Each structure stands twice: as structure tokens, then as C-alpha cells.
Amino acid sequence: MSLRAQLDTHLESTYTIERELGGGGMSRVFLATDRALGRRVVIKVLSPTLAAEVSAKRFEREIRLAAALQHANIVPLLSAGVADDLPYYTMPFVDGASLRERLKAGERVPLAEAIGILRDVARALAYAHDQGVVHRDIKPENVLLAGDAAVVTDFGIAKALAAAKRTSGADDRDEPARATALTGTGVSVGTPAYMAPEQITGDPAIDHRADLYAFGCLAYETLSGKQPFEGSAPHALLAAHISARPIPLGERCPDCPPAITRFVMCCLEKDPAARPQSAREVLRVLEGSQERASGFTRLRQGLTRRQRVGLVGGALLFLAAVAALATRQWLAGRTVSVAVIPFLNVSGDTADDYLADGIADGLATGIGKASGVRVVARSLAYQFRGRRGIDPRDVGRRLAARQVVQGSMRRVGELIHVSAQLTSAEDNSETWSASYDRPAGDVIAVQEEIARAIVDTLQRRFGGVKSTSVANSSSGTSNRDAYDLYMRGRFLLLRRGPGVRQSIDKFEQAIALDSNFARAHAALAFALELLPYFEFKAVNVDSLNTRAMRHVDRALALDSTIAETHIALALRHQHRYEWKLADESYRRALALGPEEVDVQIQYGRFLFYTRTIAEALPHFERARALDPLSAVASGWVGHLLDLSGRHAEGMKELRHALEADSTNPPALVFMADALRDAGHPQEARAYTERLRGSWPQWGDAGISKPIAYANQRDTARMFAAFQQETDARMIWPTYFSLHEPAFDFVRRTKHFAEVVRGVSLDVRIFTVLTREGKP
């Protein structure tokens, strides 16, 4: 029986179905007349495939909240039910075209009309969000144009679908369903061209700011006629939403008011915290921007970046000043940007460096909890670590910060002296300062006291800042000894080498003191998954995976937003040759912590092992920019530059890495490789000996056998070793990359292709393409 016939049978007493209007992968849509009232309605029936995945009872229950929405710019839900096991819902029929049809007409929507449409959509979002309803699928198809108004349809449906998704073995009882961003059949709850990064990566804590990202995509398209990432293949489109920036809207819509173009681009920020925080904020901008851009502004906005760079110096400086002033004025009404510089350790004992770094790290976290404050990514502030006489104006220019927090820490016996200062980056004037003398164990209390004082000061000075409790927010624990151990562990982990094993001990001790310390669980899981790279023969990877997963699960249960947890999960997947799952976890980590150095480094490693240098290098370069003193980041940049044929640039980066940490294992290995490949075996041997002396397990005895035999050109033993280690499910594919030049002499052989295929990697990448991904 056809779906139309099914509906006629089950709904004939209530509705007279006229015809099918169409639909998509999620539902089919029918036009009908309500027999009792004589009004025309739309009946939307979930597709059989999707219906099989959801609990009909839970779906009906979930959309009741959306049915309560009554607003002029929202198409209301009238009823919901089940027809022959297929859930359906009804809405009034709106006699008008959708915004998608309007955009398909081929002509750009006139500016005044476009702003009017966006204003109506923003009104709908503001009202719904105030009622606790998130749409999750804002797109032109769900915006209907009726007369002089735009109305939004399908409010709450996407959330209802996610919440009603059946779990394995579940029935229709009232137990909670596990929300998910994708159904098992691949039907997205959300539309790829308009999905926020946190939606794509399946963040269980998605909130109303995902709608604001989708609104940004819709506004971009309505104003310019083009989607932000138009023309991208589906997988590339999702990746672009997570990590790429679209062409500035002003270039595609030069006559649009600058306040609107800037605000739309702000809606498209990857980090939800960097977007407008409410639809009412969006609405205020749209209602306050009636005039077109001036001719001069249209000229400036319409120029491409290359054209702007080519302008004469005087004009360029003028335009930059205008843009900077406008941006500063706009930001003044939104948030206060604050940079927290790593504190100076003036104790004279480097053993206390961990404490100075930890204080600044905790302050950044605590201050960032306040509404109306945007803390500049702490990794960006690393470039100022250890520097005296820092000019806050320079920090402000480099990091786009209005206020700068800096200070020093001195430890004397069991006491610590902490000095902190908040300074205006605009005129170098002091905003606030204080000094504290406390027992060394009271570092948590000191952090919270400083964070509270700074937030209170910002609240008095900037009206948009709202004070919030910072208790335990900066540390994640109220146990001062646990926090001290955690800070020591973080400091050791950043140094890699023997510090990885030592950090595990510190994190375990911290958790023993506070089992609810989410950040310690996340860091421990990450350290456990890193350990095989520093103790090749001394650890059992399966055992480490099991231990790490216990802490991953605990960290996720306590706080699912910690990027480090998802890095640990990604490492576990890659150690099991589960490349797709690893990629998904890395992208989740990127969405949560795009400015975290370890996120960029580990995803760069993954791409180097599984794809191409061209894809991996930008992530290492981003990590180095975030933390110029990271020997790990600089070492990897140097290695990949060297492999790309840019030997001089690679050597410069490797020297920089070893200046930052002369015993860093990866940097020593990469330097020895670069010198050996350049024909300097004696110099290479010196670095190898330094490696053996500082970390013996990174010597030749610890390297996986296949690459050792490849260096000797012993083909038979090399392929035998590959087979043996693959059969044992050893993690050799991420000890070293098949891109390494050592394998070039067999790269196009059948046996090498079998090696690649045996660990489920792309044969074409490693046997046909260059390391840069070219044929």
C-alpha cells in the first residue's frame, strides 16, 4: 500500500488529503484540509527509514514543547500522531514560497528585503530560545515568505528526532534516549551547509548558539546569494565548517551595512563562545542597521584581499584605521577581550615553573567563565612566556586584546608571593593590581581571589560584563594538593620524553585525592595513550588502551567539553587502526579546543600518518604559532618542511626546537634524519648519541623493525617485519609514517601496496601520490 493510501485510511476521519507537496530524506509532505474547521494544513510524515530509528511515543512527547510556541514569525505545530507506525505532525499551510525558492530565482534578494527576512527569522529565534526551544535545522527551506513577513517552520523537530532515537535494544518505554547528531542511516539531524561545528562533531551539549551559527550561514547566503562554503563536496563541506573561514561577506556583498557584515561573520565563528550569545543580540544589530553602506565602504568591502594589499600605502593605512576603529567600537558593545600572559617565576628555581604556568592557566579559565568576557586563547599568549618588561599595548595589537593580565610568582619555603596586574592595552594604564602572600598550598584560593577581583573590576568598568562565581572553575577541583599534583603533571607532560611517564604518576595521585577531577582524568588518559611513543618495548598497548578508556569515560561523564579527552579517544582509535573513528574524535577535539597546542599537534600527526604532508603541515604550523616555545611543534614543522624538499627552512625550525629543549626526543630524531638525508652522517650521529644519552629508548633498539631494515635496504626482512607487526596489531603505522623517504625504493611495488592495504590505509596516497598529495 502506498503512503498516500495509508494516510487516507488512517486519517480520513480528520483530514482530506489533496496532494503531495514533496519532501526530503527525513519526511514526505502532504497538503490536506481539516474536515472540522475547513482550514488547509500540511501533514509531514517521517520517512519509513527514519521512523524505524525513533520511538514514536518519545517523538510525540518531545514535540509538545515546540507545539507551545505561539509567535507571529513561527509556524505553529497543530498536532502529532502515528499513522500505521509512521510518526507525523501537522502545521498550518502557509501560502507562499520558501526562502530557498526565492534564492533559486537567480537574482540577488534586494538588500532591504533581505534584512527584513533576517530580522523576522531573528525574532523567531529570540522568542523560541527564550522558551528553551532550539531549532537545530535553520535553513532557507524552513523559512517561508508569506506576504510581507517571513515565518520559520519545523521548530523543535530536529531536537525531537535526536531525543527520540532508539538505542540498541530499546523499546518505547520512558527510559531516556541517547541524543545523537546523526541517525544510523546517515540522515543528518541538521543540514550540512548550515551545521555548526559542534553539531557536526556530535557535541551532546549543543545549545541555542548552534542556531546562531546556522543563522549566520543563512544570512550570508540571503545577503550575497552564495553559501559560505558553496561548491564543496559533502565531506569537504563538513570539514570547512569545522576549520575553514569563508570569504568575508563584505567582499561578496559590498553594499551591505558594515555592522551587519561583521556581525554575520561573528555568527560564523567556530567557537560558540565567540559568537553572539543570544538571538536578541542579533536582532538589535539588524534593527539598528537600516542604511546601505556608503560608496566608499562598498568599494572597500568589495575589494579582494589581494586587491586591498595592492593599494597604495596611504589608502591602505587609512582603511586599516577605519576598520580597526569600527571593530573596536563594535566589540566595545559586546565583550571585553582579555589576554592572560604566563606569569614569571622569579623564585630562581626552575622547579617552580609549573606553578607560575599553572596560576596563569587557572586565571584564564576562571576569568573566561564570566559573561561578557572573551579570554584570548592561552596558547596564543605563550609567545610572551618568560619575558620581562612586556608592553601591554604590544600584546593588545598582537592578540586583539583590550585588557592584559600579567604577573609574577615567587616561592620562599612554604610561602608564595603572587603579584598580578590588569592593564589597558589601549593606553597602557593600570586598571587593577594586587599582591598576595599565602601558604604554597593555597594556590587555588589565590587564583580564585585574583579572578574574582578582575571580573569585578571589569564589571564596574564595562557594563556588558556580568559577574559570576569562579569557585572551583579555574582549577576543576577544590583539593589544593590534587591541583598542585595536576599542575606538576601538566608541566611534565608538555616536555614529553621521560616527562610522560612522570606525569602519569602525578595525575594518578591527583585523582586519588579527588576522583571527580575531570581535567586530571582527561590528562591521564592522554598521557597513557602517548606513553607507547616514549617507551617502545616496555609497555603493552592494549593494557594502556584499557586503562586510558576508564579515564576517558570518567572524564566524559564529569565534563564532556574537555578537548584532551577526545584526543585520548582518537589516539586509542588510531592504535586499533580505526582511522575513521580517530578522525571523528580529532575533529571533535578541534571543535572544542582549536587554540590548544596538543589538539593541533596530535591531529597533525594523524594526518601525516594517514594522509599527506600538505594536509598535516598547517596543523603543526598552527601549533607553533600558538606556542613558539614548543619544541614538539617546531620539531614537527621542521621535519615536514625537510620532507617537502625545503631543507634550509626545515633545519632552521629544527634548530629552534632544540634551542627550546635540547633533549626533546622527536626534535633530536628529526634533526638526525635531516642531517643524514643531506649527506652529513657524522653530524647526524652526534644527535643520535645525544638522544641515546638523554632517552635510551629512542635509540635504534627502540625503533620498529621495518624502518630499521628499510634504512639497511634489506627488503626481505623489512616486509617480513611489516607482516609480523601487522599480524600482532602493533601500532607501527603511528610510530613512523609510510611517507618517510626510507621507503621510497619500494614505494611502487606490489608488496608495499599490500603493506598499506593491510592496515586499512589509502594505497594511492602512499604508492602513487607525492608526499604533498600530487600525482
Side-chain angles (χ1 to χ4, degrees):
M1 184 184 298
S2 69
L3 178 58
R4 169 69 182 272
Q6 288 177 273
L7 293 177
D8 282 334
T9 299
H10 286 83
L11 302 178
E12 62 180 352
S13 63
T14 308
Y15 301 105
T16 300
I17 298 175
E18 298 181 20
R19 68 179 189 274
E20 184 169 0
L21 296 177
M26 293 175 62
S27 65
R28 289 172 65 180
V29 184
F30 295 85
L31 177 63
T33 300
D34 184 324
R35 289 178 181 271
L37 300 176
R39 65 181 175 185
R40 303 177 88 189
V41 299
V42 167
I43 302 174
K44 294 193 175 184
V45 187
L46 298 191
S47 69
T49 303
L50 186 56
E53 289 194 347
V54 302
S55 159
K57 291 181 180 178
R58 283 199 297 263
F59 177 73
E60 186 175 356
R61 184 174 64 237
E62 285 291 333
I63 64 174
R64 286 177 184 167
L65 180 60
L69 296 178
Q70 298 292 325
H71 188 273
N73 296 113
I74 294 177
V75 180
L77 286 170
L78 299 176
S79 64
V82 180
D84 201 12
D85 295 327
L86 294 178
Y88 71 88
Y89 56 98
T90 67
M91 312 174 79
F93 172 66
V94 177
D95 190 7
S98 69
L99 178 57
R100 169 61 65 213
E101 294 172 281
R102 181 73 174 83
L103 293 171
K104 279 184 177 179
E107 296 181 2
R108 200 180 124 199
V109 179
L111 183 61
E113 181 184 348
I115 293 176
I117 291 170
L118 297 177
R119 194 180 296 124
D120 285 346
V121 174
R123 288 193 184 105
L125 289 173
Y127 172 79
H129 292 173
D130 286 347
Q131 309 307 309
V133 178
V134 180
H135 194 290
R136 294 198 185 191
D137 197 19
I138 291 293
K139 58 184 178 181
E141 288 82 352
N142 284 334
V143 177
L144 306 180
L145 307 178
D148 295 328
V151 292
V152 181
T153 187
D154 281 0
F155 255 105
I157 302 303
K159 181 178 183 296
L161 285 171
K165 185 179 186 297
R166 296 180 191 273
T167 54
S168 179
D171 54 26
D172 281 351
R173 292 173 297 179
D174 286 337
E175 71 273 13
R178 179 178 298 173
T180 178
L182 298 175
T183 70
T185 58
V187 180
S188 297
V189 179
T191 304
Y194 308 90
M195 287 173 74
E198 63 268 28
Q199 229 173 329
I200 294 169
T201 55
D203 186 347
I206 289 173
D207 61 20
H208 65 284
R209 293 172 296 184
D211 279 355
L212 300 185
Y213 184 93
F215 177 85
C217 295
L218 181 139
Y220 190 107
E221 184 175 4
T222 304
L223 292 165
S224 72
K226 297 181 180 296
Q227 295 174 357
F229 303 109
E230 190 168 80
S232 301
H235 69 282
L237 180 62
L238 296 177
H241 279 300
I242 290 174
S243 60
R245 284 191 64 83
I247 295 171
L249 175 60
E251 293 183 11
R252 286 184 161 173
C253 185
D255 60 340
C256 187
I260 290 182
T261 60
R262 286 193 300 270
F263 211 77
V264 170
M265 296 304 292
C266 186
C267 288
L268 296 175
E269 289 288 345
K270 311 304 179 188
D271 181 0
R275 297 173 205 152
Q277 297 300 290
S278 73
R280 296 207 176 277
E281 192 175 342
V282 175
L283 187 57
R284 283 195 296 271
V285 172
L286 291 170
E287 289 178 336
S289 300
Q290 305 289 339
E291 297 183 358
R292 289 174 172 265
S294 66
F296 179 76
T297 300
R298 290 198 298 273
L299 171 64
R300 175 174 60 82
Q301 291 192 148
L303 293 173
T304 66
R305 185 177 290 107
R306 179 173 297 178
Q307 289 169 330
R308 285 198 294 268
V309 170
L311 290 176
V312 294
L316 181 60
L317 289 173
F318 176 74
L319 290 176
V322 171
L325 178 61
T327 302
R328 181 176 299 172
Q329 290 173 339
W330 173 67
L331 286 173
R334 282 191 69 244
T335 60
V336 182
S337 52
V338 179
V340 181
I341 305 301
F343 277 34
L344 276 173
N345 170 24
V346 294
S347 301
D349 185 351
T350 57
D352 292 328
D353 284 350
Y354 82 94
L355 193 55
D357 280 1
I359 290 172
D361 184 73
L363 282 178
T365 301
I367 295 169
K369 296 291 183 180
S371 173
V373 176
R374 180 182 66 85
V375 174
V376 174
R378 63 201 68 176
S379 48
L380 286 172
Y382 285 170
Q383 61 189 281
F384 297 97
R385 181 195 284 150
R387 288 174 48 182
R388 297 175 182 269
I390 294 173
D391 185 347
R393 290 169 296 189
D394 181 42
V395 176
R397 284 191 296 269
R398 294 196 193 185
L399 305 186
R402 297 180 64 192
Q403 296 285 321
V404 177
V405 178
Q406 56 183 315
S408 64
M409 185 282 305
R410 175 185 290 108
R411 186 170 189 161
V412 181
E414 294 304 312
L415 296 176
I416 57 169
H417 174 82
V418 179
S419 294
Q421 184 176 12
L422 180 68
T423 308
S424 168
E426 296 179 353
D427 57 12
N428 214 20
S429 62
E430 182 180 289
T431 307
W432 168 90
S433 66
S435 296
Y436 303 83
D437 290 289
R438 297 284 194 278
D442 286 349
V443 64
I444 294 178
V446 172
Q447 282 180 177
E448 292 175 354
E449 192 170 342
I450 296 173
R452 189 177 296 109
I454 289 175
V455 170
D456 288 345
T457 300
L458 294 174
Q459 182 183 20
R460 289 192 299 271
R461 183 158 181 168
F462 303 99
V465 176
K466 294 182 180 179
S467 183
T468 183
S469 172
V470 297
N472 298 336
S473 64
S474 62
S475 63
T477 180
S478 58
N479 188 304
R480 64 189 189 184
D481 293 328
Y483 186 54
D484 185 79
L485 287 163
Y486 170 78
M487 288 193 296
R488 291 176 185 270
R490 292 294 316 161
F491 188 78
L492 290 165
L493 184 58
L494 287 172
R495 292 181 63 84
R496 300 294 196 262
V500 177
R501 167 67 72 177
Q502 295 163 2
S503 74
I504 289 172
D505 181 55
K506 300 299 182 187
F507 296 139
E508 287 178 332
Q509 292 180 53
I511 291 169
L513 294 173
D514 182 355
S515 62
N516 293 324
F517 194 173
R519 290 167 66 186
H521 282 288
L524 177 54
F526 179 43
L528 287 168
E529 293 292 357
L530 278 185
L531 192 60
Y533 301 101
F534 298 92
E535 297 186 8
F536 296 109
K537 304 299 181 182
V539 297
N540 181 294
V541 175
D542 288 337
S543 175
L544 288 176
N545 279 340
T546 301
R547 287 175 63 191
M549 276 306 298
R550 288 199 297 269
H551 296 286
V552 165
D553 290 341
R554 184 62 176 149
L556 289 173
L558 292 167
D559 183 353
S560 64
T561 66
I562 301 173
E564 201 167 36
T565 310
H566 299 275
I567 302 177
L569 185 57
L571 285 166
R572 176 183 183 271
H573 286 312
Q574 75 181 38
H575 293 162
R576 296 159 61 93
Y577 304 174
E578 297 168 348
W579 311 118
K580 184 176 183 296
L581 292 174
D583 190 48
E584 291 171 358
S585 291
Y586 278 124
R587 290 183 180 278
R588 175 79 185 97
L590 275 172
L592 288 169
E595 306 301 331
E596 293 189 23
V597 174
D598 269 327
V599 173
Q600 298 291 346
I601 288 175
Q602 296 308 318
Y603 193 47
R605 287 180 63 243
F606 173 78
L607 294 175
F608 178 53
Y609 296 137
T610 63
R611 298 183 197 166
T612 67
I613 287 177
E615 293 173 271
L617 181 57
H619 291 279
F620 292 120
E621 290 177 326
R622 179 60 177 158
R624 181 198 53 189
L626 291 169
D627 185 359
L629 297 181
S630 169
V632 178
S634 289
W636 274 102
V637 171
H639 184 50
L640 267 61
L641 288 175
D642 184 59
L643 292 182
S644 301
R646 298 158 64 181
H647 180 70
E649 296 173 76
M651 289 298 295
K652 181 179 179 181
E653 286 293 335
L654 290 170
R655 282 192 290 270
H656 175 71
L658 291 170
E659 287 170 2
D661 183 354
S662 62
T663 64
N664 182 259
L668 288 170
V669 170
F670 297 151
M671 178 63 88
D673 287 346
L675 289 168
R676 188 181 301 111
D677 293 341
H680 304 291
Q682 294 294 336
E683 294 179 57
R685 192 173 298 115
Y687 284 98
T688 301
E689 291 302 320
R690 188 194 299 182
L691 177 68
R692 289 196 184 100
S694 59
W695 191 233
Q697 301 226 41
W698 274 67
D700 290 340
I703 296 176
S704 191
K705 291 179 182 178
I707 197 167
Y709 292 139
N711 286 329
Q712 300 167 16
R713 295 295 193 269
D714 189 337
T715 308
R717 294 170 75 185
M718 179 190 74
F719 283 124
F722 268 131
Q723 189 63 52
Q724 180 184 15
E725 295 193 0
T726 300
D727 290 344
R729 304 295 287 181
M730 295 177 66
I731 64 171
W732 69 262
T734 51
Y735 273 153
F736 56 85
S737 172
L738 291 174
H739 285 304
E740 296 290 348
F743 301 115
D744 285 351
F745 76 110
V746 294
R747 188 166 303 282
R748 295 181 182 272
T749 66
K750 179 180 70 173
H751 291 308
F752 191 74
E754 291 172 353
V755 168
V756 178
R757 197 175 292 112
V759 290
S760 303
L761 291 175
D762 190 326
V763 173
R764 185 169 179 265
I765 288 176
F766 295 99
T767 63
V768 178
L769 302 180
T770 67
R771 284 181 279 273
E772 291 73 36
K774 300 174 183 177

